[in-house]
Amino acid sequence: MAIKGLEQQQIAQRLARQTEKTRVNVRSLNEECGIFGVWGRQDAAQLTYYGLHALQHRGQEGAGIVSNNKGHLWQERGLGLLSDVFRDPARIEALTGTAAIGHVRYATAGSHGVENIQPLMVNFHDMQISLAHNGNLTNAMSLRKDLEEEGAIFQSSSDSEILLHLIRRSKANTFVGKLKEALNIVRGGFAFLLLTPHGMYAALDPHAFRPFVVGQMPEGNYIVTSETAALDVIGARFVRDVQPGELLAIDDNGLTIDSYTKNTTLNIDSMEYIYFARPDSTIYGVNVHKARKRMGAALAAEQPVPDADIVVGVPNSSLSAAAGFAEATGLPNEMGLVKNQYIARTFIEPTQDKRERAVRMKLSAVKDVVRDKNVVLVDDSIVRGTTSMFIVRMLKEAGAKSVHVRIASPIFKFPSFYGIDMQTTKELMGANNTLDEMREKIEADSLGFLSVDQLVKAIDLPYDGQGTGLTTAYFDGHYPSPIYDYAASLSYFVAKDLVDFAPEPTTTYHPRQVSSLRNEETLADGTIHLDSQTIQGVE
Ligand SMILES: O=P(O)(O)OC[C@H]1O[C@H](OP(=O)(O)OP(=O)(O)O)[C@H](O)[C@@H]1O
Ligand SMILES: NC(=O)CC[C@H](N)C(=O)O
Ligand SMILES: [Mg+2]
C-alpha cells in the first residue's frame, strides 16, 4: 500500500499543538506499558491477571484483558489499576477461554479515555483481532492522516490502532502475510501482542527498544510478556528474549519463531535498566538489580564524595544503585528515607501538582538516621527534578549536615520517542540548566552524574555486535534511528549539532551476538520451532 508522507510543516504544526497541550498538562514520561499473553490454558485470563499484576509498575492508568473462547474474543478493560478494573470477580469470570492477552497502560495526555485502554479489539466481518502494544510508533501521525484521507475511521486516538488498519488493508493472502506487511510499515518502538481466533502473535521492533520475553509453563504452554518478573510470579520458566524483527506465532502446535524483517540491529532502551524494569527482571541476560548495583559502584568511582558519612537511596528504584555505591565505598547504606508503599510511581503521574503531592506523601526522612550526617543521596535519575528538590529539602529539615546528590545515570537531556514518550525538552531539568544551576535548584551541596561510557560498562550487555546494543540518546543525543513525525521537534538540536540520527538498519542483526541464544537451532526455512510439550522433569 502506498502511504504518502506528511509534509514537514504540517507535522511541525501538529507537534506545536501537542506541545502546547503537553505544557498545560505537564506530561510525564509516558508510553511505558506492560503486556502479557498466554496460549492453551483453561486459566488463561486468571494467569494473565497475575502476570499483569507483576507488570503494574509499567503503567497505572488503565488495564485490560482479552480472552479467546473457542475462537470468540471477549474484552474487559477499564481505567485505573488492574485491581480496580477487575475488582468485580465477574469481569475475570467473563473472560472464559484458553488464551488471553493483557495490557497495563500509562496513558498519553488528552487520551485518558477508556477507548485507548488496551488490548484494543476490532470486529471485522470475517475475524476478530485484539492488540496490545508497548512502545510508541514514530510515524503514526502521518500514517493516520493518510489512512483517514483514504476513508479509515479510527476508534481511538492511540498510535497502536494504526497496526490494525494496516493489517486490514494489506492485500497479502494470509493473516501472517498481512501482519508482516503492516509491521514493515510502522516505525519506532513496539512490542506487539496480537490475539486472533486462531493464534497469538508477538512482534518486536527492528531495534528491540522494549524488553520482550518468551516463557513456558511447566505444562508446556507458552507465555510472551514484557519482563521476566511476570514469568516468575506465575511459575513459568524463561525460554528466550524476543529478538529484533522477530515475529512469533503460538498456537496449539507450539511456538514458531519467524521474522518479518532481516534489517535489524540491537538498541535496547537503557532506561529499562536504569529505572523502568523491575530489579528482579533480566533483560538480554542482564539482571536489572545487578546492573543498577554496578551503576552505583561506577558512580562512586566517577563522582566520589570525600567527607560522606552515610549513603541513602531514594526508594524504590534507586535502592540497588545505592547498595552498589555503599558497597564500593565501604560507607554504611542507611535507610534515611522511607517510602509509603501505597503511593504509586511519581514519574508517571500525569500532572505536576499531582506529582509534587505524590512525592510528599510518598517519601519521609528518618530524622534519627540523617541528623548531623553528611549524606550521599543516590537516585537513579533526574527528569523534572521534582523528587530531588523535595527530598534534599526534606533531609536538611531532618537535620542532615550536608546532602550530596549522586545520580546513577547520565544527565537526561533529550526526549525519547521509542517508548518513553517525552515529546518535549521543556520539562527536562537537564536540558534547560547547567550542572551548577541544577545543583542550585535542588539545593544540594554537590551534584554528580554517571557518564555514558560508565553506564554502558555497568549494564555490561553480553553482546558482541556493532555499537553498544543500547539506546542512550536521552543522554548523548545519538538516536539509533530516524524519528519521522517527530523530526521537526528536534531540528533546533540538529542545527546545533547536539543530536543525530542513525539510518534504519540495512543488514541482519545476528541473534547469536547475544550469548544466551548461541545454542539455538534454526530450521531450513529460517524459522525456529518449539513444541508446546510438558517440560521434562517437571510434574
Ligand atoms: O526528577 P523527577 O521528575 O522527579 O523524576 C525522577 C524520579 O522519578 C523516578 O522515581 P519514581 O518516584 O517515579 O518511582 P520509584 O518509586 O519506582 O523510584 C526516578 O526513580 C526518580 O526518583
Ligand atoms: N505506554 C505504552 O507503551 C502505550 C502504548 C501506546 N503507545 C499507547 O499510547 O497506548
Ligand atoms: Mg525514584
Side-chain angles (χ1 to χ4, degrees):
M1 184 181 68
I3 298 282
K4 299 184 292 304
L6 245 194
E7 290 84 49
Q8 288 292 324
Q9 207 191 349
Q10 282 171 293
I11 293 169
Q13 279 166 2
R14 194 178 290 210
L15 276 165
R17 280 199 302 276
Q18 275 205 348
T19 306
E20 181 57 23
K21 218 168 166 187
T22 301
R23 201 175 55 74
V24 174
N25 284 303
V26 195
R27 203 144 41 114
S28 180
L29 292 191
N30 50 35
E31 311 287 334
E32 184 64 17
C33 302
I35 57 180
F36 182 98
V38 55
W39 183 270
R41 289 189 65 95
Q42 292 301 332
D43 57 351
Q46 190 68 53
L47 212 58
T48 303
Y49 178 90
Y50 293 136
L52 290 179
H53 202 266
L55 300 174
Q56 186 77 83
H57 61 289
R58 297 182 71 85
Q60 298 151 9
E61 295 210 354
I65 299 177
V66 169
S67 70
N68 175 350
N69 188 2
K70 300 190 186 94
H72 180 73
L73 304 191
W74 186 258
Q75 177 195 49
E76 294 285 340
R77 60 177 176 169
L79 297 169
L81 296 175
L82 187 72
S83 53
D84 297 331
V85 176
F86 292 97
R87 174 151 296 142
D88 180 356
R91 292 198 88 173
I92 286 281
E93 283 157 21
L95 290 158
T96 48
T98 55
I101 62 171
H103 191 267
V104 285
R105 181 167 193 249
Y106 177 27
T108 55
S111 56
H112 300 294
V114 77
E115 70 280 6
N116 286 338
I117 301 302
Q118 301 191 25
L120 301 176
M121 199 169 96
V122 282
N123 297 301
F124 295 139
H125 75 277
D126 52 355
M127 82 184 287
Q128 292 176 296
I129 307 178
S130 179
L131 170 74
H133 172 208
N134 171 208
N136 183 53
L137 303 179
T138 47
N139 60 346
M141 279 186 281
S142 44
L143 286 174
R144 181 173 180 143
K145 181 177 180 289
D146 293 343
L147 287 164
E148 283 181 0
E149 274 171 5
E150 289 170 24
I153 297 170
F154 281 74
Q155 293 178 11
S156 73
S157 54
S158 149
D159 56 327
S160 316
E161 193 185 332
I162 295 282
L163 193 82
L164 296 168
H165 290 260
L166 295 175
I167 293 170
R168 188 70 231 188
R169 295 170 74 97
S170 164
K171 298 279 179 277
N173 295 327
T174 61
F175 177 74
V176 168
K178 290 175 193 290
L179 178 56
K180 281 187 176 179
E181 197 180 305
L183 290 166
N184 277 293
I185 297 172
V186 292
R187 296 282 180 269
F190 54 85
F192 282 128
L193 267 178
L194 293 100
L195 190 63
T196 74
H198 314 292
M200 182 168 88
Y201 302 86
L204 186 60
D205 69 70
H207 296 265
F209 289 121
R210 308 265 59 97
F212 211 20
V213 292
V214 183
Q216 198 177 16
M217 295 301 284
E219 297 78 17
N221 327 95
Y222 286 104
I223 314 280
V224 188
T225 185
S226 300
E227 291 188 34
T228 60
L231 299 178
D232 296 336
V233 299
I234 55 157
R237 80 173 174 113
F238 168 78
V239 175
R240 73 201 285 287
D241 292 278
V242 181
Q243 300 298 304
E246 279 186 346
L247 172 59
L248 280 54
I250 298 167
D251 57 21
D252 293 342
N253 297 319
L255 162 68
T256 302
I257 300 168
D258 192 358
S259 55
Y260 62 89
T261 178
K262 292 287 181 193
N263 296 334
T264 58
T265 173
L266 196 67
N267 300 110
I268 309 157
D269 191 332
S270 60
M271 277 301 282
E272 292 284 352
Y273 291 105
I274 296 166
Y275 166 78
F276 280 112
R278 275 173 54 145
D280 51 341
S281 283
T282 293
I283 308 169
Y284 285 92
V286 177
N287 167 253
V288 171
H289 166 70
K290 287 188 169 173
R292 288 179 188 165
K293 269 190 87 177
R294 289 192 293 269
M295 291 173 208
L299 180 65
E302 266 199 323
Q303 304 284 343
V305 182
D307 303 322
D309 299 316
I310 56 170
V311 175
V312 171
V314 185
N316 284 331
S317 53
S318 79
L319 294 180
S320 309
F325 195 109
E327 210 171 278
T329 52
L331 289 167
N333 185 17
E334 283 284 7
M335 198 172 71
L337 288 166
V338 187
K339 182 182 172 182
N340 179 334
Q341 299 297 343
Y342 302 95
I343 301 283
R345 293 191 135 186
T346 50
F347 197 55
I348 54 180
E349 284 286 348
T351 64
Q352 184 65 14
D353 61 332
K354 265 195 184 176
R355 271 193 296 271
E356 289 181 7
R357 202 170 342 113
V359 177
R360 280 177 191 282
M361 287 175 64
K362 171 175 156 173
L363 295 165
S364 329
V366 184
K367 292 193 185 76
D368 291 325
V369 170
V370 301
R371 192 178 298 123
D372 297 329
K373 294 283 194 298
N374 294 309
V375 177
V376 184
L377 181 67
V378 177
D379 203 352
D380 52 78
S381 52
I382 290 185
V383 184
R384 293 177 197 75
T386 322
T387 308
S388 312
M389 216 177 302
F390 277 93
I391 54 182
V392 171
R393 205 173 301 158
M394 206 183 271
L395 290 174
K396 291 201 170 168
E397 281 167 11
K401 214 190 283 174
S402 62
V403 180
H404 301 272
V405 176
R406 292 294 179 271
I407 303 296
S409 66
I411 303 181
F412 202 118
K413 292 189 212 158
F414 303 107
S416 161
F417 306 103
Y418 305 123
I420 320 162
D421 193 13
M422 175 66 90
Q423 297 180 4
T424 166
T425 53
K426 276 202 182 112
E427 302 164 42
L428 295 175
M429 190 180 234
N432 300 296
N433 296 279
T434 63
L435 183 64
D436 208 47
E437 285 166 351
M438 288 174 90
R439 188 199 57 73
E440 237 171 72
K441 283 197 172 158
I442 65 171
E443 298 169 23
D445 292 275
S446 72
L447 172 64
F449 289 83
L450 190 66
S451 67
V452 177
D453 279 356
Q454 287 303 315
L455 170 73
V456 170
K457 280 204 185 101
I459 294 174
D460 197 19
L461 204 63
Y463 165 74
D464 54 24
Q466 258 202 340
T468 61
L470 296 164
T471 294
T472 49
Y474 331 115
F475 316 120
D476 59 18
H478 300 311
Y479 287 81
S481 77
I483 54 166
Y484 304 96
D485 293 350
Y486 296 96
S489 69
L490 289 193
S491 52
Y492 169 84
F493 298 100
V494 174
K496 288 193 163 264
D497 260 351
L498 293 169
V499 149
D500 51 55
F501 307 96
E504 290 292 9
T506 50
T507 54
T508 303
Y509 154 81
H510 294 283
R512 279 151 200 82
Q513 286 162 347
V514 169
S515 55
S516 62
L517 296 179
R518 279 182 195 140
N519 297 327
E520 219 168 52
E521 264 186 61
T522 307
L523 305 181
D525 66 356
T527 64
I528 299 164
H529 183 79
L530 302 165
D531 287 332
S532 51
Q533 283 165 358
T534 306
I535 300 170
Q536 295 291 319
V538 178
E539 305 252 312

